[in-house]
Amino acid sequence: MSSLPQSTLLPTGTWLSRWEPEDQAFWSAGGTAIAWRTLALTTVNLTLAFAAWFLVSALVVRLPQVGYNFSASQLFWLTAMPGLAGGTLRLIHMFLTPMYGTRHVVSLSTLSLLVPLLGWFYAVQDPTVPYWVLLLLSFLAGLGGGNFSSFMPSTSLFFPKRLLGTALAIQAGIGNLGVSIVQFVTPWIIGFALLGGAAFMGDSQTLTKNGVQSQVYLQNAAAVLIPFVATFGATAWLLLKSVPVKANFAEQFDIFKSRHTWSMTSLYMMTFGGFSGLAATFPLLIKQGFGGFEGAPDPLKYAFWGPLVGSLARVAAGPLSDKLGGARVTQWAGIGMVACAVLVAMFVTPDSMAEFPKFVAAMLALFFFAGIGNASTFKQMPMLFAPRQAAGVIGFTAAIAAYGPFLFGMLFAWAFGTFDSARPVFFGLAAFFACNVALNWRMYARRGAANPC
């Protein structure tokens, strides 16, 4: 800390007195250490936020097996509500960092996750809980989805433009891993009593699958996250500082005057909207498509692979976007998403389990290209806007794309109710992805584009 200019940090309080990441001397003298420390801590908190956001997707396939009597449509609604809440809350979060600063926003929004986690901890222990209560708790899980639109803009303020693709990809990619973590850990953690079966941890539930009964502890899926959320939320309050880039609510509306705000929103809806929507519905797609066959797969043994592949692809694509340019990488990612959406459509109405490996492979390829596009679009935005505006655009595009789980849940509920198949949805997605490929080419990726980025 001794090498850091004394004017950079206030002795106490929230706001840094100076922050100039594009100044190489400032960056080398200590700015880099603060930026990377902030990135590390906010990334851990973002990972927990995604885990809380997608907790419902990991629980919903188990609810009918422990006595909850819900239709396929009702189950898709439960997976859709966190997306509805996440997108709506992101529209609020996008304004928070320039108003209240990184320290307050990250710590308090992380601690707010205790509300849905405690709610689900108790609700899954009682199959008589009304459906509307579970809908409310699903909506509150969206608190985790909202955090993205304040955490990511915060990170965009801490780093110079030359490193933004890498920094944002690391944070978002590792944060996205929260989806895989909760979907991977849940099937294992619910299989035994935590803390030696302490009374306050609740009783087991009887799970019936293929006529075989076993004892599970669904509440463990939420319980295991609670101490981490409390610890890292408090740590953020103690260790984080805030960049002195401030703007009130009204001043931040200037981003909506730019056509780039709307084009980047569409591109990010393609990439992250596709990623989040499919991550939330992947377990139910497996259950609805292949659950009726003999030897049907356990959805949660496969579903976590999709978010995992997409998250790791996002981390890897960040440095690639810094090197090659975000628009070029987005172009190839979009083409890949078009091809994969068409391919998935071929296997969502299977005749036998023999088609399951092909379905999973096509889905994982779709997650892979979506993850790459998630990173490259976030490289494009800081190149098109000034730092404070770029932070706002990142927050807004993330807010709209966070409706992915809600929109996908509704689309699949409609498709299964009307056609008893998800095939129309994937053909529609292919068309939407193709439109975005054309948009990106015309505005940013083609030779001679007015705004190459």
Side-chain angles (χ1 to χ4, degrees), residues 6-364:
Q6 292 298 312
S7 60
T8 300
L9 282 173
L10 296 174
T12 59
T14 295
W15 298 91
L16 297 167
S17 61
R18 176 187 172 210
W19 193 254
E20 300 174 14
E22 300 294 347
D23 183 335
Q24 186 58 47
F26 176 88
W27 184 251
S28 300
T32 181
I34 295 176
W36 287 105
R37 183 182 68 203
T38 301
L39 176 66
L41 187 52
T42 54
T43 297
V44 173
N45 281 275
L46 185 61
T47 304
L48 292 170
F50 269 87
W53 191 22
F54 282 82
L55 174 67
V56 180
S57 72
L59 289 173
V60 70
V61 295
R62 296 286 190 245
L63 296 181
Q65 298 171 338
V66 298
Y68 293 84
N69 186 22
F70 298 140
S71 67
S73 179
Q74 287 177 308
L75 293 175
F76 274 114
W77 264 104
L78 288 177
T79 63
M81 291 305 287
L84 175 63
T88 303
L89 292 171
R90 285 186 180 192
L91 292 173
I92 298 172
H93 269 268
M94 62 175 283
F95 295 104
L96 296 184
T97 299
M99 296 172 65
Y100 301 107
T102 297
R103 180 194 182 202
H104 284 81
V105 172
V106 172
S107 58
L108 296 179
S109 59
T110 297
L111 292 173
S112 74
L113 302 178
L114 294 173
V115 176
L117 291 175
L118 288 169
W120 277 103
F121 174 82
Y122 289 107
V124 294
Q125 300 181 53
D126 182 10
T128 65
V129 170
Y131 180 67
W132 70 265
V133 173
L134 296 183
L135 278 178
L136 176 61
L137 290 174
S138 294
F139 186 88
L140 290 174
L143 288 168
N147 293 1
F148 190 90
S149 280
S150 53
F151 287 27
M152 295 294 287
S154 165
T155 295
S156 74
L157 297 174
F158 273 91
F159 285 83
K161 285 187 175 183
R162 61 186 172 82
L163 293 176
L164 276 176
T166 299
L168 292 172
I170 289 173
Q171 180 168 51
I174 295 177
N176 289 169
L177 284 175
V179 183
S180 288
I181 289 171
V182 75
Q183 291 181 345
F184 176 77
V185 169
T186 295
W188 168 71
I189 202 70
I190 65 175
F192 56 89
L194 291 177
L195 302 181
F200 67 86
M201 293 302 295
D203 297 326
S204 65
Q205 303 89 46
T206 300
L207 184 146
T208 304
K209 182 180 178 182
N210 299 326
V212 179
Q213 292 188 337
S214 60
Q215 297 300 304
V216 295
Y217 299 82
L218 292 186
Q219 65 269 28
N220 289 357
V224 73
L225 294 174
I226 290 173
F228 290 101
V229 167
T231 298
F232 284 101
T235 302
W237 178 265
L238 295 173
L239 297 183
L240 290 182
K241 295 291 182 179
S242 304
V243 171
V245 176
K246 303 180 182 181
N248 62 34
F249 184 80
E251 289 171 338
Q252 296 182 65
F253 272 83
D254 61 351
I255 63 172
F256 298 115
K257 298 176 182 178
S258 172
R259 63 193 177 100
H260 299 300
T261 298
W262 305 106
S263 58
M264 292 309 306
T265 298
S266 184
L267 291 174
Y268 198 59
M269 188 64 198
M270 172 181 70
T271 57
F272 184 76
F275 170 87
S276 62
L278 291 172
T281 53
F282 195 14
L284 277 177
L285 286 174
I286 294 174
K287 181 177 182 294
Q288 293 300 118
F290 296 89
F293 297 119
E294 184 178 352
D298 181 345
L300 293 183
K301 288 185 178 180
Y302 295 91
F304 80 93
W305 284 104
L308 177 63
V309 168
S311 299
L312 294 178
R314 185 168 195 167
V315 174
L320 184 66
S321 298
D322 278 336
K323 181 178 180 180
L324 300 179
R328 183 185 299 181
V329 178
T330 297
Q331 192 69 18
W332 287 109
I335 293 171
M337 291 184 71
V338 173
C340 290
V342 174
L343 190 60
V344 171
M346 300 295 101
F347 303 115
V348 291
T349 309
D351 295 319
S352 70
M353 277 296 297
E355 296 179 59
F356 183 67
K358 300 175 184 178
F359 167 74
V360 172
M363 285 290 292
L364 294 185

Side-chain angles (χ1 to χ4, degrees), residues 368-384:
F368 173 77
F369 285 112
I372 291 176
N374 284 335
S376 59
T377 48
F378 266 24
K379 171 63 177 179
Q380 290 176 262
M381 296 177 211
M383 305 306 292
L384 293 167

Side-chain angles (χ1 to χ4, degrees), residues 267 327 330-331 380 436-446:
L267 291 174
T330 297
Q331 192 69 18
Q380 290 176 262
N436 277 281
V437 168
L439 173 68
N440 183 68
W441 173 258
R442 181 178 182 277
M443 295 189 66
Y444 308 119
R446 64 183 173 87

